[in-house]
Amino acid sequence: MAKTKGGGTKKVCLPAAKVRSMSKAEKDKVVRAKRSAAKSGKYKRSSKSNVKGARKKGATLRDWFEKENWINVATGRPCGESTKKKNK
């Protein structure tokens, strides 16, 4: 049996403050890396596209996750919000 490709997530979420400080090129690089990984069935994007300075020094992972305002890099909307377009 061959392993099925696909099934990775394409959503890229980062803290809002970090996304605001990123250039268009940086945002595109991260989004492209994540979509490429998702297309090949991987869950994580390449470590070459890691984002520096997203977490404050000394913050625990739980604090970082709970206290930050996370947004989707591609859409600029809150992370976890539906990406499907709504009919008006």
Side-chain angles (χ1 to χ4, degrees):
M1 278 190 151
K3 200 172 184 183
T4 307
K5 292 276 184 178
T9 179
K10 294 188 275 184
K11 188 174 15 178
V12 184
C13 292
L14 288 172
K18 180 61 185 175
V19 174
R20 280 193 296 271
S21 71
M22 293 169 77
S23 69
K24 173 111 172 73
E26 288 175 313
K27 289 178 194 175
D28 290 344
K29 179 183 174 186
V30 172
V31 171
R32 262 197 316 274
K34 184 65 175 187
R35 289 198 174 143
S36 171
K39 196 184 298 183
S40 59
K42 297 182 184 117
Y43 182 72
K44 294 181 181 175
R45 59 185 155 77
S46 161
S47 62
K48 286 189 280 184
S49 66
N50 278 355
V51 177
K52 301 257 190 297
R55 181 164 51 158
K56 292 177 180 72
K57 296 278 187 208
T60 65
L61 195 57
R62 177 173 288 158
D63 287 345
W64 184 50
F65 188 75
E66 291 176 352
K67 293 180 180 175
E68 293 285 349
N69 175 22
W70 291 79
I71 63 170
N72 189 326
V73 176
T75 64
R77 293 183 159 172
C79 196
E81 188 175 90
S82 175
T83 55
K84 293 186 171 52
K85 293 184 178 164
K86 295 176 184 172
N87 293 335
K88 291 182 180 176

